[in-house]
Amino acid sequence: MTSVAADSNPALNVTMNGLPASSRYASGGPRPPHGTINALFFDAVERFDRADALSTKVRGVWEPMSHRTIMDRVRRTALGLAEMGIVAQDRVAILSENRPEWLIADFACICSAITDVPIYPTLPADQLPYLLNNSGARAIFVSNADQAKKVASIRSEVPGLQWIIGFAATTADGCDLTLAEIEAKGAAVDNAERATTFKRDALAVTPDQLVTLIYTSGTTGNPKGVMLTQDNLYSNVISTKTTLHVSTSDLALSFLPLSHIFERTGDYFLFSNGVRIAYAESIDTVPVNMSEVKPTMMMSVPRLYEKIYARVVENAVAGGGLKKRIFFWAKNVGEKWADEKLAGREPGGVLAMQYALAQKLVFSKLKERTGGNLRFFVSGGAPLSPDIAKFFYSAGLIILEGYGLTETSPVISTNTFENYRLGSVGRPIPGVEVMIAADGEILSRGPHIMRGYYNHPEATKDAIDEEGWFHTGDIGELTDGFLRITDRKKDIIVTAGGKNIAPQPIENMLRTNKYVSQAVMIGDKRKFPIVLIVPNWDQLEKWAASQSIVWTSRAELLAMPTINAKMEKEVNAKLEGLAHYETPKKIALLEHDFSVERGELTPTLKVKRRVIDKSYKPLIDSLYEE
C-alpha cells in the first residue's frame, strides 16, 4: 500500500499514488508531542485546584470533591496497593458504575505503572472469568454488593485473582477488603517525602508505558484486549483540546460507562481542562440529573438523543390540537432555519422572526429540560441519524458527532463549531491520518493507534498493516476532508441477487419512529431483506388502549392482525425513498428487547447481527418460506 505524507492542511483530499482513483486521504495535521496522562493529572490538580472538581449525589445531595482530595486519595490508594505487593506491570481490574472512586482507582493504577482492566458493570458473571484470566488480573475493584457478589460467584474459576476490593461493598459481600482500608494502608506510610517520591515516579513513567487493557466486546468470537499506552491516550486528549474548546466555567454530566473508552478519554479531556464533572446516578436518572446539575456539555451515544427526540414528539402529539400544530410548525421553521445556517447564510426577514417565535414557544422548553445551560452535546459510539441531528441543531442544541474506536484511543475525527457538516463525523483531529481503501474501508494511522491486541499477534497483524494503517472495519467516504460513515464492513448485507445493502442507516431511520424501540435488518445471502422490530411498548400499548383493544399479554397483543397492520404502517412510512432492493419486504415483531445478557448486544449496545440471525432462525426462515 502506498501512502502520502501527512499534511498540515486539515482539508487535504487527494488521490493516492498506486491506489484506485476512488481512494482518498485526509490528515488532521501535525501530531502533538509525546506525553503521559500522568503529567496531565498532576498539571490539572496544581493549575486548577478547585473545590468542586468532581461531584456525585449522596443521600439526595450533590457533594463536591476537590482536586486536592482527589490527589491525596489517589496517592494513598497507590501507596496502599504497593504495601499489598501490587506493583508496576501488574494488572488490576475495575468493575464499577461511574463514581469518583472509579477515577481514583484508575489514576492510582496508572500513576504506579499498573495496567488497569476496565470491565462493563452490565456484564453477567459468566463473562468475567475469561476477562480476568486472559488479562492476568491480580485484584479487582468492585463498586457495590451486587458487583462483589458477581465476582465472588466465579472466583473459583479465576485462580490468579488475589483480592476483591470494594468501593461501597464489604467483606460481607465477598470482598477481601475495602478501598477505605487500602487508603488507610497508604495513609500509614504517607508523608511529605513519600508524596514527593510518588509524584517523581509517576512523572517518570514513559509515554510507551501500557496504561490499560480494554476488552472489545466484538460481534463475533471472544473479546480481545486492546493495549493502549500513555501516549495513545495523551495524544488523543491533546489533539481534542485543539479542536473542542472548553473552559473552567463548563460543567459536564458523565453517565456513559467509564469502562467505555469514549467516556474515559473524555473524562481525561475534561479533567485536564479544569471542567467540573458530575457523575449521574445512573443512565435512567439522566433526565432528572440534567435538570439538577444544569450541565453545559454532555457526551453520549445516539440512543439518548433518539429517546429525547421521541419523547418530545410524543408529548407534542399527545397534546393534540393547537399544541400539536404549534410544535410541527416550529419544527418546520427550525429545519428551514437550519438549512440556511448550514449553507453558510444568515437567516433573515420573515424566517428570522418565525424562528425567534419558534424558539420562544417550543425550543426553549426543550433547552429547559436539559438544564437550561447546555452549550453542546458530543455524540459517538454509533451512527447518529441526520434527521435527529438536524432537529437538535434547529433547536439551538448542537450535537458534535465524532468517530473512533477503542483501538484508536478513541477519537479519529469530530465535528467542531468551526467545521461542522451534518451527516458527517467531522474532520480528522491533529496527528491523525485517515484513508479510504479501495474497498471503501476506513483506515487510520497516527499516535492514537493501539499497541496491539494482548496475546493476539495474528489479530494485531490483521488489524494493523506494515505501514501502520489500522483497518477500522467501517465503510465510509471522504468529501472535502469530512468523513462520513456508511456502515460496518461486516454488516454489509449481500442479497442472493448480489445487491449490497448498508443496514445501519435504515435501522437508524426506523428507530426515529416513536413506535419502534429496536430494529435489525436481516438478509445476507437471502432473496430479499427483512427487518426484526421490537416495539416501543409504552407507545404501542397506549395506542392499543385508545382503540379499545383488550389483551392479557404482550405476546397476545403481537398476534393481533390490527397490531401487525399498525406496526407495518409505521415501519413502511419510514422506508419511503429507499431503493426497491434495499426495502425490507417483511417485518417480524418481537416481544422482548435485545439484550447484553443473551449475547445479542455488545456492552456498548451494538447489535450482534449474526447472533440475532442465529437466535431467531426459525422465525426468520418462516418469513422466507411464506
Side-chain angles (χ1 to χ4, degrees):
M1 181 179 290
T2 306
S3 66
V4 297
D7 193 285
S8 59
N9 178 4
L12 180 65
N13 197 13
V14 298
T15 301
M16 299 295 296
N17 240 348
L19 285 170
S22 60
S23 296
R24 294 188 178 274
Y25 167 89
S27 168
R31 68 147 288 158
H34 297 282
T36 67
I37 293 295
N38 296 0
L40 292 178
F41 171 64
F42 282 94
D43 176 69
V45 170
E46 293 168 7
R47 189 150 54 99
F48 302 114
D49 194 19
R50 64 189 309 159
D52 56 353
L54 303 178
S55 62
T56 188
K57 202 172 184 182
V58 181
R59 291 182 291 276
V61 178
W62 287 92
E63 293 188 356
M65 184 179 293
S66 70
H67 279 103
R68 289 293 160 183
T69 297
I70 295 166
M71 171 61 81
D72 290 343
R73 293 189 65 182
V74 165
R75 184 178 66 255
R76 289 167 185 166
T77 300
L79 294 176
L81 291 173
E83 290 296 301
M84 294 165 59
I86 299 177
V87 296
Q89 315 305 322
D90 280 339
R91 311 281 200 258
V92 174
I94 304 175
L95 177 65
S96 170
E97 300 78 13
N98 290 15
R99 54 193 298 156
E101 291 86 354
W102 205 110
L103 180 141
I104 288 165
D106 179 37
F107 277 128
C109 287
I110 65 178
C111 284
S112 305
I114 295 167
T115 302
D116 61 28
V117 184
I119 298 176
Y120 285 94
T122 54
L123 282 184
D126 61 5
Q127 293 186 31
L128 300 183
Y130 176 82
L131 304 181
L132 296 172
N133 286 324
N134 187 264
S135 65
R138 292 186 62 197
I140 183 169
F141 289 102
V142 295
S143 56
N144 54 34
D146 289 341
Q147 300 295 359
K149 290 173 182 175
K150 190 190 295 184
V151 178
S153 72
I154 52 87
R155 189 166 191 173
S156 62
E157 302 174 49
V158 191
L161 186 66
Q162 296 172 266
W163 295 283
I164 301 175
I165 306 161
F167 292 157
T170 66
T171 53
D173 306 312
C175 293
D176 298 296
L177 69 170
T178 65
L179 177 61
E181 290 171 325
I182 289 182
E183 289 186 63
K185 288 177 183 289
V189 297
D190 194 15
N191 54 40
E193 183 180 351
R194 290 298 293 270
T196 300
T197 303
F198 172 70
K199 179 179 179 180
R200 182 198 66 204
D201 292 347
L203 293 178
V205 170
T206 58
D208 63 351
Q209 172 66 45
L210 185 63
V211 166
T212 191
L213 278 178
I214 301 178
Y215 281 81
T216 58
S217 42
T219 54
T220 57
N222 284 326
K224 297 188 291 290
V226 175
M227 297 187 288
L228 296 180
T229 66
Q230 289 272 356
D231 196 47
N232 286 150
L233 296 167
Y234 173 87
S235 69
N236 216 242
V237 170
I238 294 300
S239 293
T240 306
K241 277 187 175 189
T242 65
T243 55
L244 194 60
H245 306 298
V246 295
S247 72
T248 54
S249 62
D250 280 309
L251 189 158
L253 182 65
S254 170
F255 70 93
L256 287 182
L258 281 163
S259 45
H260 192 309
I261 187 62
F262 178 29
E263 186 69 39
R264 184 173 174 185
T265 302
D267 276 22
Y268 290 155
F269 164 78
L270 299 171
F271 193 87
S272 66
N273 278 291
V275 175
R276 293 168 292 161
I277 302 172
Y279 289 117
E281 296 170 88
S282 71
I283 290 179
D284 294 334
T285 64
V286 166
V288 174
N289 294 159
M290 276 195 289
S291 65
E292 292 172 337
V293 304
K294 305 184 186 308
T296 61
M297 63 168 293
M298 287 174 59
M299 297 180 292
S300 178
V301 292
R303 193 65 184 137
L304 173 72
Y305 311 121
E306 292 169 358
K307 286 184 175 181
I308 292 175
Y309 175 78
R311 194 178 299 119
V312 168
V313 173
E314 174 195 348
N315 289 340
V317 172
L322 183 61
K323 182 178 180 180
K324 179 179 176 181
R325 289 198 298 274
I326 289 174
F327 172 80
F328 283 103
W329 170 82
K331 184 174 181 290
N332 184 51
V333 168
E335 288 174 353
K336 292 178 180 177
W337 177 88
D339 288 339
E340 290 295 299
K341 295 287 286 188
L342 292 169
R345 299 184 292 268
E346 190 61 35
V350 174
L351 180 58
M353 290 187 289
Q354 289 177 327
Y355 182 71
L357 184 58
Q359 274 286 349
K360 183 176 180 179
L361 296 177
V362 175
F363 298 139
S364 61
K365 294 177 176 59
L366 175 58
K367 290 179 179 177
E368 287 172 12
R369 290 181 185 174
T370 66
N373 293 332
L374 203 77
R375 293 201 298 122
F376 63 95
F377 288 109
V378 179
S379 182
L384 175 67
S385 164
D387 289 343
I388 290 178
K390 189 174 184 179
F391 172 76
F392 276 86
Y393 184 92
S394 66
L397 293 170
I398 190 169
I399 300 175
L400 300 177
E401 188 176 7
Y403 168 65
L405 302 90
T406 303
E407 292 90 339
T408 61
S409 305
V411 186
I412 290 176
S413 64
T414 186
N415 280 285
T416 65
F417 287 101
E418 297 80 16
N419 292 295
Y420 180 86
R421 182 166 295 183
L422 192 69
S424 83
V425 290
R427 289 174 169 172
I429 63 173
V432 170
E433 298 172 83
V434 171
M435 183 168 70
I436 307 299
D439 63 356
E441 184 175 10
I442 301 167
L443 314 182
S444 186
R445 184 170 66 178
H448 60 308
I449 301 300
M450 66 171 179
R451 180 185 291 178
Y453 295 115
Y454 183 61
N455 286 339
H456 276 282
E458 289 304 314
T460 301
K461 187 177 179 181
D462 289 342
I464 305 173
D465 66 29
E466 293 179 354
E467 295 186 10
W469 290 101
F470 172 70
H471 293 239
T472 66
D474 289 312
I475 302 295
E477 302 168 351
L478 273 168
T479 305
D480 300 328
F482 284 88
L483 180 63
R484 190 169 74 87
I485 314 298
T486 56
D487 216 285
R488 284 291 295 170
K489 189 174 181 178
K490 292 179 181 178
D491 276 354
I492 295 295
I493 292 172
V494 182
T495 66
K499 296 291 188 181
N500 285 21
I501 303 171
Q504 282 191 4
I506 299 170
E507 293 163 350
N508 291 341
M509 199 159 44
L510 289 173
R511 286 198 299 270
T512 62
N513 185 290
K514 71 175 186 176
Y515 290 99
V516 176
S517 175
Q518 292 176 315
V520 174
M521 274 188 74
I522 301 292
D524 198 49
K525 299 180 178 65
R526 297 183 184 262
K527 292 178 290 185
F528 51 80
I530 64 169
V531 62
L532 306 181
I533 297 289
V534 179
N536 180 326
W537 283 108
D538 287 344
Q539 295 301 317
L540 185 57
E541 288 176 339
K542 283 180 184 176
W543 181 85
S546 73
Q547 302 300 304
S548 300
I549 295 173
V550 178
W551 71 96
T552 57
S553 69
R554 288 177 173 176
E556 181 184 356
L557 197 63
L558 290 185
M560 295 180 181
T562 305
I563 294 298
N564 279 267
K566 170 65 175 176
M567 290 303 298
E568 284 185 19
K569 178 183 177 183
E570 295 295 333
V571 168
N572 289 333
K574 286 292 181 181
L575 299 176
E576 292 177 2
L578 292 180
H580 177 73
Y581 68 86
E582 61 183 357
T583 302
K585 302 301 183 287
K586 296 182 180 181
I587 73 169
L589 303 180
L590 305 179
E591 183 178 352
H592 302 288
D593 281 350
F594 303 121
S595 74
V596 174
E597 290 74 20
R598 292 195 301 272
E600 298 160 340
L601 301 176
T602 71
T604 53
L605 305 184
K606 294 185 180 72
V607 168
K608 294 187 177 182
R609 200 175 304 276
R610 287 169 178 77
V611 172
I612 290 172
D613 198 342
K614 183 178 179 181
S615 298
Y616 294 92
K617 189 175 188 300
L619 172 64
I620 293 167
D621 286 347
S622 71
L623 296 179
Y624 286 100
E625 290 166 1
E626 290 175 5

